[in-house]
Amino acid sequence: MSIWIILKLLGSLALLMFGMKSMSDSLQKMAGPQLRHVLGAMTTNRFTGVLTGMLVTASVQSSTATTVMTVSFVNAGLLTLAQAISVIMGANIGTTLTAWIMSAGFSFDITNCVYPAFLLGIVLIYLKRYRFIGDFLFGLSFLLLGLGTLRMTGMEMQLGENQAVLAFFSSFNPDSFLTTMTFLLLGGVLTFCVQSSAAVMAITMILCSTGVLPIYQGIALVLGENIGTTITSNLAALSANVQARRAALAHMFFNVFGVIWVLMVFKPFVNLACSLVGMDPTASEQSPAQLSFALAAFHTLFNVSNTLILISFIPQIEKFVCWVIKPKKEDNEEEFKLQYIQGGIMRTPEIAVLQAQREIGVFGKRIQRMFGIVRDLLHETDNGKFNKIFERIEKYEKISDNMEMEIARYLEQVSDAHLSDDTKAKIRAMLRMISEIESVGDSCYNMARTIKHRHSGKEDFTEAQYENIHRMMDLTDASLTEMNHMMNESREVLNADNAVALEVQINELRDRLKDKNIADVDNHVYSYRISTMYLDLICECEKLADYVQNVVEARLMLPKDIFPNND
């Protein structure tokens, strides 16, 4: 075998992988928002979840893309973990379409079709308006060109006449369970190393279609590919949050469980898959086209059968992965996760508004916790602990931004429906509330940065300054408590007197402390540098209280009964 043929083989695989990625990326760009909507709306039960995962993956030709979108929805609280597991099951079925495309490429010379597609693709790309369609055609053309080149290279290699290769594969006992396990392990390792189950599937088809590799060993390689592709996702999820790790583990559990039971009925199951494409696996002479179609048929039958077996046990799988991967103590509050806004088609605008207002209640409580962490930061002197607390505040700030955007996006979707004037007024008031609550989060983060600036310097606040900061923060925290109390009370019993009184006290204290600060700097009680940081904290607290007052005003504008007991 010449070096040129080896390079041609590797180049064909690279072309195949590039075409698959280009086609997947362009499809996601064309239909990304719609696919996200479909994932959010069509997962009301496990069966529609499987169907959704299957259709979306078949559309974008990437189970990884579907899994990433699914996990992001779980993180946002738009899908439960159980719904995500059902979507991942469907994604495993959808990704088998790739094997059928490849088997078609190995059954006839498909390269003649790609050149008109290249021409049309470049025209569409230059038109710009249809650029994504042109990108898709280019990706598809590269994929088919890679398949065609692989097919021709496989024929040029003449592996069926290479005695060394034949001797190697014939050294394995085809009836031995150890042989099956060896090729299964080899398929898993190859997939993990190449990072592409499609590339390993193509290699398997070449080996089988040239008569070098018996169909049973080829299918063992396919089983290994199913495990190898989950190892990659689990390693990628190691640095991710707890929900991402659980979803990745559920994916691995699904495939490993399937491999275990298929190994128990290996030969009968393989014979069944082969019979679906009219092939006898024990025959001495096999058609290359039939061999490649048999591999695709097995891949599909494996995933469909595994899904039919496990779909009834999704709650148990969810409990298992939650038991294996337990959240850290701070995970629940320091991960972006919506609690009340759920995926699925909204039944009525009123129910949707109720979900959103409950989520705003959670938003308010989370922001008050963020303010409490800022107060902890003020007194921390140990560098390691200080940096860890500051990182928590940064997480909360990002969570605040994400919660505002997700709740606002949800309310915008609700507002697209035909609404009563009363419901429209509710939505306007709620949009104002989330904007002001997010501004409270910004103020907390600004205070944390000021404290960090003071911590990095040599000077510290005086005892009197600390005492004044505490007084201001106590009033600010009381203001946040009153805000959250009002958001969890019914409209009929609301009274804004306490909130207004706190706002007046905060403004008066701010004014007194500003005047005293000028006098203290003049009397050289402390430096001008430390005075600016001190005053920044005082004024930021007052600004935060203004945002709180705006939330209270928006709450009072809401029609009655919009916030009934946010447990």
Side-chain angles (χ1 to χ4, degrees):
M1 189 185 302
S2 69
I3 189 68
W4 172 248
I5 292 181
I6 294 176
L7 290 175
K8 193 174 179 182
L9 175 68
L10 295 175
S12 301
L13 285 172
L15 199 59
L16 171 71
M17 293 166 65
F18 176 76
M20 185 70 70
K21 185 179 186 305
S22 299
M23 189 172 68
S24 174
D25 289 347
S26 59
L27 278 169
Q28 290 176 66
K29 289 173 185 175
M30 281 192 289
Q34 288 78 8
L35 290 176
R36 292 182 179 89
H37 174 72
V38 168
L39 274 177
M42 289 185 62
T43 51
T44 51
N45 60 61
R46 66 190 72 178
F47 298 102
T48 57
V50 169
L51 181 63
T52 302
M54 183 174 66
L55 293 177
V56 170
T57 305
S59 299
V60 300
Q61 280 296 289
S62 173
S63 58
T64 302
T66 306
T67 304
V68 167
M69 283 191 285
T70 303
V71 170
S72 69
F73 275 158
V74 175
N75 293 340
L78 300 175
L79 288 180
T80 65
L81 182 59
Q83 288 172 320
I85 293 171
S86 68
V87 173
I88 290 170
M89 286 181 176
N92 275 273
I93 298 174
T95 197
T96 62
L97 179 63
T98 304
W100 288 103
I101 294 173
M102 288 184 180
S103 59
F106 277 93
S107 60
F108 61 92
D109 188 1
I110 205 167
T111 54
N112 293 329
C113 305
V114 303
Y115 300 108
F118 274 128
L119 177 62
L120 181 59
I122 197 66
V123 171
L124 293 174
I125 288 173
Y126 276 104
L127 288 176
K128 292 187 178 180
R129 181 179 177 182
Y130 303 102
R131 179 166 56 88
F132 293 143
I133 299 176
D135 289 339
F136 166 74
L137 285 175
F138 255 66
L140 179 61
S141 300
F142 278 124
L143 183 150
L144 297 178
L145 183 61
L147 283 174
T149 310
L150 272 174
R151 174 177 173 271
M152 291 186 289
T153 305
M155 294 171 62
E156 289 177 19
M157 290 168 69
Q158 297 179 334
L159 293 175
E161 299 174 11
N162 190 313
Q163 294 303 315
V165 175
L166 289 171
F168 172 76
F169 285 108
S170 62
S171 65
F172 293 95
N173 182 0
D175 298 320
S176 170
F177 181 74
L178 180 61
T179 298
T180 302
M181 291 301 298
T182 301
F183 279 89
L184 187 149
L185 180 62
L186 181 61
V189 172
L190 277 175
T191 304
F192 173 68
C193 294
V194 178
Q195 297 284 296
S196 172
S197 59
V200 180
M201 176 64 83
I203 294 172
T204 305
M205 286 184 175
I206 286 178
L207 293 173
C208 286
S209 62
T210 53
V212 171
L213 185 65
I215 187 65
Y216 291 109
Q217 278 80 341
I219 284 177
L221 281 176
V222 174
L223 280 176
E225 292 161 19
N226 281 274
I227 295 178
T229 192
T230 65
I231 296 174
T232 302
S233 60
N234 274 270
L235 288 177
L238 285 178
S239 60
N241 56 49
V242 65
Q243 291 295 79
R245 297 197 301 273
R246 285 171 174 172
L249 180 61
H251 189 198
M252 175 175 277
F253 175 86
F254 174 82
N255 284 9
V256 170
F257 176 85
V259 168
I260 290 171
W261 73 258
V262 166
L263 285 174
M264 295 178 181
V265 290
F266 185 65
K267 286 207 170 181
F269 194 81
V270 172
N271 294 341
L272 174 62
C274 291
S275 67
L276 294 177
V277 293
M279 174 188 152
D280 180 6
T282 61
S284 57
E285 293 293 331
Q286 303 286 0
S287 163
Q290 275 191 324
L291 284 163
S292 59
F293 278 118
L295 291 171
F298 172 83
H299 197 203
T300 301
L301 185 62
F302 165 75
N303 283 290
V304 171
S305 302
N306 203 27
T307 298
L308 291 175
I309 292 171
L310 291 177
I311 193 169
S312 299
F313 298 97
I314 287 178
Q316 287 74 24
I317 296 173
E318 180 183 22
K319 289 179 182 177
F320 171 73
V321 297
C322 290
W323 174 75
V324 173
I325 301 178
K326 294 180 174 63
K328 297 177 183 177
K329 292 181 179 179
E330 297 172 355
D331 273 350
N332 287 334
E333 65 181 47
E334 293 185 13
E335 285 185 5
F336 174 43
K337 181 181 179 182
L338 302 183
Q339 294 183 19
Y340 293 102
I341 294 177
Q342 298 295 327
I345 299 171
M346 295 175 291
R347 292 180 177 86
T348 66
E350 291 301 327
I351 293 176
V353 169
L354 177 63
Q355 289 177 325
Q357 61 88 7
R358 285 181 177 271
E359 204 63 66
I360 294 173
V362 174
F363 195 5
K365 292 176 182 177
R366 180 167 262 169
I367 285 296
Q368 188 168 11
R369 286 200 297 271
M370 182 181 181
F371 182 73
I373 300 172
V374 173
R375 299 186 73 174
D376 294 338
L377 187 72
L378 181 65
H379 292 288
E380 187 55 61
T381 55
D382 180 82
N383 285 332
K385 293 180 179 178
F386 185 94
N387 291 332
K388 190 172 182 180
I389 294 173
F390 187 79
E391 286 175 3
R392 289 185 67 196
I393 294 170
E394 287 183 314
K395 286 183 181 179
Y396 268 87
E397 203 276 331
K398 292 177 182 177
I399 290 170
S400 171
D401 291 342
N402 287 332
M403 287 195 75
E404 180 198 15
M405 295 306 300
E406 287 298 329
I407 297 172
R409 187 177 295 117
Y410 185 75
L411 289 172
E412 286 174 358
Q413 291 175 355
V414 177
S415 64
D416 289 338
H418 295 291
L419 305 175
S420 64
D421 292 338
D422 190 45
T423 304
K424 289 179 181 177
K426 292 177 184 178
I427 292 176
R428 284 195 297 271
M430 293 166 75
L431 286 171
R432 182 187 175 194
M433 290 171 71
I434 60 173
S435 175
E436 299 296 341
I437 293 174
E438 193 277 331
S439 295
V440 172
D442 289 341
S443 287
C444 290
Y445 184 55
N446 290 338
M447 282 189 275
R449 290 195 299 180
T450 299
I451 295 170
K452 185 177 183 180
H453 187 44
R454 190 271 308 163
H455 179 78
S456 62
K458 296 181 180 179
E459 295 181 274
D460 196 1
F461 297 132
T462 65
E463 288 187 12
Q465 284 178 314
Y466 270 118
E467 183 179 342
N468 291 332
I469 293 171
H470 286 316
R471 288 170 58 197
M472 178 61 84
M473 285 187 166
D474 286 342
L475 288 172
T476 305
D477 190 58
S479 179
L480 284 164
T481 300
E482 187 64 24
M483 176 192 79
N484 283 318
H485 172 72
M486 291 187 68
M487 287 202 298
N488 288 277
E489 287 292 335
S490 60
R491 179 70 175 80
E492 291 81 354
V493 299
L494 284 182
N495 188 328
D497 291 347
N498 288 340
V500 172
L502 285 167
E503 170 70 7
V504 170
Q505 290 181 60
I506 290 171
N507 287 341
E508 289 177 349
L509 180 59
R510 186 271 317 269
D511 293 339
R512 290 199 305 272
L513 294 180
K514 283 180 71 174
D515 292 340
K516 189 173 186 307
N517 180 66
I518 294 173
D520 287 343
V521 172
D522 287 343
N523 294 328
H524 304 290
V525 177
Y526 42 77
S527 68
Y528 180 79
R529 179 180 179 276
I530 206 70
S531 76
T532 58
M533 290 184 280
Y534 164 68
L535 202 58
D536 282 345
L537 290 178
I538 297 299
C539 292
E540 200 64 57
C541 281
E542 190 277 330
K543 188 188 297 183
L544 187 155
D546 287 342
Y547 296 136
V548 169
Q549 188 62 25
N550 292 340
V551 175
V552 170
E553 290 176 3
R555 171 71 185 95
L556 293 172
M557 291 171 60
L558 284 172
K560 61 182 180 180
D561 294 333
I562 182 63
F563 274 83
N565 280 332
N566 265 348
D567 302 327

